[in-house]
Amino acid sequence: MGALTWKLLDPDESRIAVDLGEPSPITVAWAWGGATGADVRVCVVDGGIEPGHPLVGTVASSHAVVDRDGERKVVEVSHGDSFGHGTACAGIVREIAPDCEIHSVRVLSERGGGTGRTLLAGLEWAIRQRFDVINMSLSTTRPEFVQALRELADEAYFAGSVIVASAHNSPVESFPWRFSSVISVGSHTHPDPNRILYNPNPPVEFFARGQAVQVAGLRGGVIRSSGNSFATPHVAGRCALILSKHPRLTAFQLKTILFLTASNVRGERLDEPLYGAAGDLDRIGRHR
């Protein structure tokens, strides 16, 4: 059962079926029916986003954490992504919520690694900008950064910024996805990009499509990749849809709606479509 808490590779979803005992008062049509993500600002905290990629579209702003005089500062930069991870995540967000506003803050190096302090600086900046949804398909295993990350996650929670964080692909302790103040995501094998499952066996709270996913690649290309990294923006995009239709929801309310509309909770047939990363690299790493 341990592996189930990080990802769901068994196609038998009956293992995690949740019976509410009666129909949920929250329906898909009410939650996000007709929504497109309009007026919702999503920040991808990652390795940057390739400008003009056909699967991403317009990137509203692009920033990066830089070291200046021994201090880490967030500065505006030209759009760019040297290894493709951030672009892939942004493309999935755009697929789910086509009219949302996508922003980028780069905290990973050209090789996909980074430092905990850089992660903290980028996340703090994103929270202070009051982005509605913050996608984090990365984490750190370093215990010295846990308390500072927890404080930032709590700040986001109470300020109305929803952090959607990827679980590590291995069953190890890493953060911030382990915090209850964020929405944590692992991957499942179902091909439907709209299928989100609630996990009754935490610490991961939700599963989304993350295996053999067609994603945006560098230089305008398309590739297939697997990992919890790519499940996370499916949930971030869903959050954008819900917030587009119901602005000013708290993180608690949003997480509750995700639970009540999850495919395995609503009593939906598990064979019908829903309508309506690897380990750390350096001290922080993308989850592929």
Side-chain angles (χ1 to χ4, degrees):
M1 185 66 81
L4 178 60
T5 65
W6 268 258
K7 61 185 72 173
L8 180 64
L9 300 182
D10 187 344
D12 181 11
E13 296 173 3
S14 63
R15 299 172 58 197
I16 59 170
V18 177
D19 183 5
L20 293 178
E22 58 184 25
S24 169
I26 301 297
T27 66
V28 167
W30 177 89
W32 70 85
T36 63
D39 301 320
V40 175
R41 300 161 69 234
V42 179
C43 183
V44 178
V45 179
D46 209 285
I49 300 174
E50 180 178 295
H53 195 291
L55 295 185
V56 177
T58 301
V59 179
S61 73
S62 185
H63 292 76
V65 179
V66 299
D67 192 338
R68 289 186 176 174
D69 301 322
E71 294 186 5
R72 286 168 176 80
K73 299 181 180 296
V74 178
V75 299
E76 190 170 1
V77 297
S78 299
H79 300 301
D81 182 354
S82 60
F83 64 96
H85 192 259
T87 301
C89 292
I92 294 171
V93 172
R94 180 68 74 201
E95 175 188 6
I96 302 299
D99 290 334
C100 76
E101 195 174 276
I102 294 180
H103 299 256
S104 170
V105 57
R106 188 170 68 234
V107 299
L108 298 177
S109 69
E110 293 182 356
R111 296 184 178 181
T115 69
R117 296 192 186 282
T118 299
L119 173 60
L120 288 172
L123 177 58
E124 180 180 35
W125 178 85
I127 294 169
R128 301 288 166 82
Q129 302 307 305
R130 297 298 184 95
F131 289 114
D132 301 296
V133 181
I134 299 173
N135 187 92
M136 298 186 67
S137 292
L138 45 77
S139 69
T140 179
T141 59
R142 293 297 186 92
E144 62 264 34
F145 300 116
V146 171
Q147 184 57 34
L149 270 175
R150 188 188 304 276
E151 291 174 1
L152 285 176
D154 285 348
E155 179 180 338
Y157 183 89
F158 292 115
S161 290
V162 177
I163 297 175
V164 185
S166 171
H168 202 289
N169 280 335
S170 301
V172 300
E173 294 276 349
S174 68
F175 305 89
W177 72 271
R178 293 291 298 240
F179 302 144
S180 58
S181 53
V182 310
I183 296 174
S184 55
V185 185
S187 60
H188 65 56
T189 60
H190 199 285
D192 184 359
N194 293 310
R195 189 177 201 79
I196 292 177
L197 304 171
Y198 168 71
N199 180 19
N201 304 291
V204 171
E205 295 170 303
F206 297 97
F207 298 118
R209 185 187 183 199
Q211 301 297 312
V213 182
Q214 182 172 289
V215 298
L218 290 179
R219 294 174 290 281
V222 177
I223 60 174
R224 285 197 177 272
S225 292
S226 296
N228 292 341
S229 274
F230 310 115
T232 303
H234 283 91
V235 176
R238 173 69 56 80
C239 289
L241 291 182
I242 296 171
L243 290 172
S244 178
K245 190 167 183 180
H246 305 283
R248 296 180 296 280
L249 290 178
T250 67
F252 172 79
Q253 292 169 322
L254 186 57
K255 191 179 292 192
T256 301
I257 292 172
L258 288 174
F259 163 67
L260 290 174
T261 57
S263 298
N264 58 322
V265 173
R266 293 188 294 111
E268 173 199 25
R269 282 172 52 89
L270 294 179
D271 59 349
E272 291 180 351
L274 176 65
Y275 58 94
D280 288 10
L281 298 180
D282 194 84
R283 280 164 285 178
I284 63 173
R286 65 193 190 279
H287 295 168
R288 304 194 78 156

